[in-house]
Amino acid sequence: MNASEFRRRGKEMVDYMADYLEGIEGRQVFPDVCPGYLRSLIPTTAPQEPETFEAIIEDVEKIIMPGVTHWHSPYFFAYFPTASSYPAMLADMLCGAIGCIGFSWAASPACTELETVMMDWLGKMLQLPEAFLAGEAGEGGGVIQGTASEATLVALLAARTKVTRRLQAASPELTQAAIMDKLVAYASDQAHSSVEKAGLIGGVRLKAIPSDGKFAMRASALQEALERDKAAGLIPFFVVATLGTTSCCSFDNLSEVGPICHEEGLWLHVDAAYAGSAFICPEFRHLLNGVEFADSFNFNPHKWLLVNFDCSAMWVKKRTDLTGAFRLDPVYLRHSHQDSGLITDYRHWQLPLGRRFRSLKMWFVFRMYGVKGLQAYIRKHVQLAHAFEALVRQDARFEICAEVTLGLVCFRLKGSNKLNEALLESINSAKKIHLVPCSLRDRFVLRFAICSRTVELAHVQLAWEHIQEMAAAVLRLERCLLNCKDL
C-alpha cells in the first residue's frame, strides 16, 4: 500500500467507522456466537500472496462483527463506560502515524512534554493539590499508565521499595526476604480484584478491611487491623482506598482513612478508576476530599472522559518514589538531557519500557470539548442513572441495593438470588440489552451502568420496559413451579 492508496483507503475506513458508530443502535448489542466460532471461518495459515483491501473489509463484517460485543451501543449497560469520541479516534490515528516509542525525552521530546502538561491540565480540572502537579519545579507529577491495574501495581511496588530501603537503613542486618515476609497491604473488601492481583505479583499479603453499611472502608476498621498486625510483628506499608467501587460505586471514607495512613507512615494509593472523571464537576469534587493525604492517585479517562482506551491517569506527590524504584540506565537508553532536572523519562515511572503517544488523545479531547463540554457529558449520564433509579423505585417488585451517586444503579427483584440469576440470564439471552451482576453481602444484584456516549432517556426507558417484561416472565415461571410443587 503506497501513500496514494492509503489516502483512498483511509477515507473509506473513516466512512466505515462513522457508519458503524452511527448505525450501532441497530446491531445486536451482545453477540450470538459460541466459543471457537471464529477458527472455522478463517484459513489455518496466513496467505502466501497479498489479498485486497475489499476482501478484508468484507470479512470484517462477515467474521469479526458477528463476534463483537458492542460496548458503544446505547443498549450496553454492563461493566462501566469505555470512552469513545471522534477527537480521540483522530488523535489515535495521528499517534499511529507518528509511531514513536516514547520511553525517554530524547526518544520523542513532544511525546514526553505533552504528557507532562496534559497531566497538569487534568490535575487542575480535578483541583488536585499542588503537590501532585509537575509544574515547572514541582516534586510530583502525572503519568499515563495503561490501566488502573497497572497504576495500583506500580504504586505497590514503589511503596514496597521505599519501606524496604527505610527499614534496611535503620537496621542494616535486615534482609529483603525477612522484610518481605512481614509486609502487609490493605484494601476494602469492596476493592477491585486488580488490587488483590497487585499483591500477588508484588509478593505481599493483602488483607481485606470489612466495609460498613454503605460498602465503604472506615477508619475504625482499618485502625483495628493495623493494631492487630503490628502486635503480631507484621509491617503494614500500603493502603488502597477506592472511590467508586466496581460492584456498587461506593466510596471509601478518604477523609478518615487518609490521616491514619499519614500518622502510621503508610503509602496511600487512591483508586478512582471510574468515578474520577466526575470530579471535574464541582458538585462531585467533595467525593475526592482527603486526597491530600494520598501518595498516589489514579483514575481512567478512558472510562468516562471521552478519551479512548488506553489512558489511565496516575499522579504521585514525589516522582522520585517511582524513579527510585524503577530506574535502570543502560548505555543504549541514556541521553545528554536526562540529568538536567527539566524533563522526565517516563520509562522510570512504569512497568513497560515502550509507550505510545497517548497524550495526543487528551490534548485533542480537552480542546475540542472544553471542560464545560466534558462536565455536561458527565452530568447527562448521572441524570440518566437517576432517571432509571426512579423507574425502579416505582415498581414494588424491585429494590435499589446501594446509594446511586454517579452513573451506576444496583437493583434486584425482591426475592432469592436464584430468582435474580434467572432474571439476568433471561435479559442477556434476549440480547436486546446487556447487563452484568455483582455480589453485595452475598446478595446477587444486577448492575445498570450508563455507558454509551449516545445513550438517551428513550434508550433507558426501553431498557426498563424490557427488564420489566423479563421479570414478569421469570416471576410467572416461579409461581408455576411453586404451584406444581404444592401439587
Side-chain angles (χ1 to χ4, degrees), residues 7 39 56 120 127 129 155 210 223 227 258 265 344 348 421 425 449:
R7 291 178 190 275
R39 182 169 287 277
I56 295 170
D120 275 1
Q127 298 180 47
Q223 189 72 65
E227 296 304 326
T344 188
H348 301 311
E421 288 170 9
E425 174 64 24

Side-chain angles (χ1 to χ4, degrees), residues 382-414:
V382 176
Q383 289 167 0
L384 290 175
H386 284 297
F388 181 80
E389 177 193 13
L391 292 170
V392 175
R393 291 190 184 279
Q394 291 168 17
D395 190 326
R397 299 173 299 175
F398 289 87
E399 61 183 333
I400 296 293
C401 305
E403 182 179 358
V404 179
T405 305
L406 299 177
L408 175 67
V409 182
C410 292
F411 71 106
R412 71 197 303 271
L413 276 171
K414 295 174 181 175

Side-chain angles (χ1 to χ4, degrees), residues 86-200:
Y86 294 119
M89 290 181 221
L90 292 173
D92 253 346
M93 291 169 64
L94 179 57
C95 173
I98 293 173
C100 66
I101 310 298
F103 49 77
S104 71
W105 180 88
S108 191
C111 181
T112 293
E113 296 199 15
L114 184 64
E115 183 163 335
T116 302
V117 175
M118 287 302 99
M119 291 300 292
D120 275 1
W121 274 21
L122 186 53
K124 291 174 182 176
M125 288 160 62
L126 298 168
Q127 298 180 47
L128 285 182
E130 193 72 23
F132 285 106
L133 306 181
E136 294 184 4
E139 295 182 359
V143 58
I144 301 174
Q145 305 285 3
T147 64
S149 305
E150 283 181 50
T152 300
L153 177 58
V154 164
L156 182 142
L157 295 176
R160 190 187 72 180
T161 298
K162 188 174 183 179
V163 70
T164 299
R165 289 175 178 170
R166 186 181 75 225
L167 292 172
Q168 286 182 322
S171 304
E173 73 281 2
L174 281 176
T175 65
Q176 183 173 346
I179 295 170
M180 284 278 292
D181 189 53
K182 294 184 176 182
L183 291 179
V184 189
Y186 305 86
S188 163
D189 58 12
Q190 299 298 311
H192 193 270
S193 60
S194 62
V195 179
E196 184 178 359
K197 182 179 283 190
L200 290 173

Side-chain angles (χ1 to χ4, degrees), residues 59-382:
D59 281 348
V60 167
E61 275 299 324
K62 187 165 58 177
I63 298 172
I64 302 302
M65 286 300 176
V68 170
T69 299
H70 298 288
W71 280 65
H72 302 294
S73 166
Y75 296 114
F76 182 93
F77 301 104
Y79 309 106
F80 274 133
T82 180
S84 176
S85 69
Y86 294 119
M89 290 181 221
L90 292 173
D92 253 346
M93 291 169 64
L94 179 57
C95 173
I98 293 173
C100 66
I101 310 298
F103 49 77
S104 71
W105 180 88
S108 191
C111 181
T112 293
E113 296 199 15
L114 184 64
E115 183 163 335
T116 302
V117 175
M118 287 302 99
M119 291 300 292
D120 275 1
W121 274 21
L122 186 53
K124 291 174 182 176
M125 288 160 62
L126 298 168
Q127 298 180 47
L128 285 182
E130 193 72 23
F132 285 106
L133 306 181
E136 294 184 4
E139 295 182 359
V143 58
I144 301 174
Q145 305 285 3
T147 64
S149 305
E150 283 181 50
T152 300
L153 177 58
V154 164
L156 182 142
L157 295 176
R160 190 187 72 180
T161 298
K162 188 174 183 179
V163 70
T164 299
R165 289 175 178 170
R166 186 181 75 225
L167 292 172
Q168 286 182 322
S171 304
E173 73 281 2
L174 281 176
T175 65
Q176 183 173 346
I179 295 170
M180 284 278 292
D181 189 53
K182 294 184 176 182
L183 291 179
V184 189
Y186 305 86
S188 163
D189 58 12
Q190 299 298 311
H192 193 270
S193 60
S194 62
V195 179
E196 184 178 359
K197 182 179 283 190
L200 290 173
I201 297 172
V204 299
R205 72 192 81 188
L206 176 76
K207 295 196 174 184
I209 304 300
S211 55
D212 69 4
K214 291 188 174 181
F215 306 103
M217 178 167 62
R218 302 295 299 271
S220 56
L222 176 61
Q223 189 72 65
E224 182 180 338
L226 293 176
E227 296 304 326
R228 184 171 56 246
D229 287 344
K230 286 190 294 183
L234 300 177
I235 306 172
F237 81 108
F238 184 72
V239 175
V240 177
T242 306
L243 302 182
T245 59
T246 300
S247 292
C248 64
C249 200
S250 58
F251 291 79
D252 288 341
N253 196 312
L254 195 55
S255 295
E256 285 185 4
V257 170
I260 290 177
C261 293
H262 180 71
E263 292 165 11
E264 298 282 348
L266 309 178
W267 182 300
L268 175 59
H269 176 69
V270 176
D271 175 11
Y274 161 67
S277 296
F279 303 153
I280 69 169
C281 299
E283 64 268 32
F284 299 122
R285 175 55 180 78
H286 70 278
L287 297 169
L288 190 54
N289 290 348
V291 72
E292 62 271 15
F293 295 104
D295 296 275
S296 53
F297 167 71
N298 169 258
F299 85 97
N300 292 340
H302 68 231
K303 275 193 169 68
W304 206 14
L305 210 59
L306 296 172
V307 180
N308 292 23
F309 187 87
D310 58 339
C311 183
S312 189
M314 178 185 186
W315 289 265
V316 289
K317 276 183 178 172
K318 292 187 180 297
R319 55 180 175 265
T320 53
D321 287 339
L322 297 189
T323 59
F326 304 121
R327 186 181 184 103
L328 292 171
D329 270 323
V331 172
Y332 49 81
L333 295 179
R334 295 177 190 168
H335 59 88
S336 58
H337 297 285
Q338 66 181 34
D339 297 319
S340 67
L342 299 175
I343 52 92
T344 188
D345 284 350
Y346 278 121
R347 62 191 168 91
H348 301 311
W349 296 51
Q350 61 177 23
L351 300 178
L353 173 64
R355 55 203 334 273
R356 299 187 305 117
F357 202 162
R358 292 176 290 203
S359 57
L360 282 172
K361 295 184 287 191
M362 299 171 75
W363 196 43
F364 275 44
V365 168
F366 296 166
R367 294 182 68 183
M368 295 193 74
Y369 278 89
V371 175
K372 290 183 178 180
L374 295 171
Q375 289 172 335
Y377 176 69
I378 297 292
R379 287 166 178 151
K380 177 183 175 182
H381 274 203
V382 176

Side-chain angles (χ1 to χ4, degrees), residues 29-30 75 77 427-428 431-435 448 463 466-467:
V29 63
F30 193 74
Y75 296 114
F77 301 104
I427 290 168
N428 284 338
K431 296 181 170 64
K432 289 185 177 180
I433 65 173
H434 188 43
L435 304 180
F448 189 94
H466 179 63
I467 292 169

